[in-house]
Amino acid sequence: MPLMNVFKNSFHYHMLSGLNLAYWVYSPSTAHGTPLAAKLGNPTLMAILTGVFLFAEVSNLMTHVTLRNLRPPGTRVRRIPYGYGFDIVSCPNYLFETLAWVAIAGMTRSFAAVFFLIVSSGQMYIWAVKKHKQYKREFSDYPKSRKAMIPFIA
């Protein structure tokens, strides 16, 4: 990873997500008794979104385990990933991370969360397209039906 990406990614996660989200989600406007807090207090919606978030995070973990197990220790062998999520997209880890942020945006109903969702999903989509093209170039038998990040679309 280029050194500049370390700074870009750190800014992205710590400023856009961490500080920005923390400021808006924990601000006095969301305190108990405010109109926004009442709107956020739907327990059914929160349960559904929490389930979506947990599904997305566990799914993201599963795809990272699959990616980790692709290369035998101490080798530079590259293989086509198969399995959970990889049958429909090249980068299911980005798909599931995006889904987790959709759940967070829905739970907080914060413009900061929506902004972070858009920025992070856009960046992950760029990475997914790049990785998808790399897989197609490197492996002549790469599955033709796979999309980069969004199932059946892109």
Side-chain angles (χ1 to χ4, degrees), residues 115-131:
F115 178 69
F116 182 77
L117 169 64
I118 292 167
V119 170
S120 63
S121 297
Q123 181 63 62
M124 287 186 284
Y125 180 74
I126 291 167
W127 291 336
V129 167
K130 188 175 176 182
K131 177 60 80 174

Side-chain angles (χ1 to χ4, degrees), residues 36-59:
L36 181 57
K39 203 164 63 167
L40 295 175
N42 181 336
T44 304
L45 179 60
M46 286 306 221
I48 291 168
L49 291 171
T50 299
V52 169
F53 176 79
L54 292 173
F55 164 77
E57 288 298 305
V58 169
S59 296

